[in-house]
Amino acid sequence: MSAVSGVRLWFAPERLREEGSTPDYRFSLANERTFLAWLRTAMALVGGGFAVDQFLPETGRPLRLALALILLAGGALCALRAISHWVRCERAMRRGEDLPASRFPIVLGLAVGVVALLMVIVAAFGWGG
C-alpha cells in the first residue's frame, strides 16, 4: 500500500470493509479505544506545550519556546500516528494478519522523558531567566 492510499483511508475508513472479513467487534472496539488513548496523549502534550509557554515566564524565551514547541510537535505527531496506527491495525485484523509493530510508543516515551528531565532541570536551577 502506498503512502497516498494509506492517507486516503484516513478520510474514507469505510473502504476498509472491502478488505478481508469483519473481525470480532470486540477487537475493532479495542482498536478504537487505543486510538482514543493516543488522542488523549496528543491533547495532553499540546496542553503541556501551552502550559510551558504560559506558566514558565521566568525561564528565558528561547528555552521556554523550545520546550513548548517540542511538546506541541509531539502532540501533533502523536495525533497523526494515532490515525495511521488505527488504520493499519484495522486493516491487519480484517486480513487476518499479525498486528503491525511500532516503535512510536518507545520514541514518544523517550522524548517525553527527556523533555520532562529538561523541565525538572530548568525548574530546579532556574536556568534561562
Side-chain angles (χ1 to χ4, degrees):
M1 173 169 70
S2 72
V4 173
S5 64
V7 171
R8 284 185 185 149
L9 284 176
W10 295 8
F11 300 101
E14 65 277 357
R15 288 183 40 218
L16 284 171
R17 293 184 179 155
E18 298 169 4
E19 297 189 33
S21 60
T22 302
D24 184 327
Y25 291 110
R26 292 173 291 181
F27 299 126
S28 289
L29 293 172
N31 190 29
E32 187 174 318
R33 284 191 301 274
T34 302
F35 169 76
L36 294 172
W38 280 106
L39 288 184
R40 284 190 300 274
T41 301
M43 289 188 294
L45 289 168
V46 168
F50 284 118
V52 164
D53 189 47
Q54 292 298 309
F55 299 117
L56 291 177
E58 68 282 350
T59 305
R61 175 92 175 128
L63 181 58
R64 188 176 77 232
L65 186 61
L67 290 171
L69 288 176
I70 289 169
L71 289 168
L72 291 167
L77 285 173
C78 192
L80 293 173
R81 184 65 178 113
I83 298 166
S84 172
H85 189 72
W86 177 83
V87 168
R88 290 173 58 219
C89 286
E90 197 66 28
R91 227 169 162 225
M93 287 188 298
R94 294 191 69 80
R95 292 176 168 184
E97 299 172 352
D98 289 339
L99 293 178
S102 176
R103 289 187 185 104
F104 188 76
I106 294 165
V107 171
L108 180 64
L110 289 172
V112 169
V114 167
V115 170
L117 184 60
L118 285 172
M119 291 172 68
V120 166
I121 291 169
V122 166
F125 297 106
W127 290 352

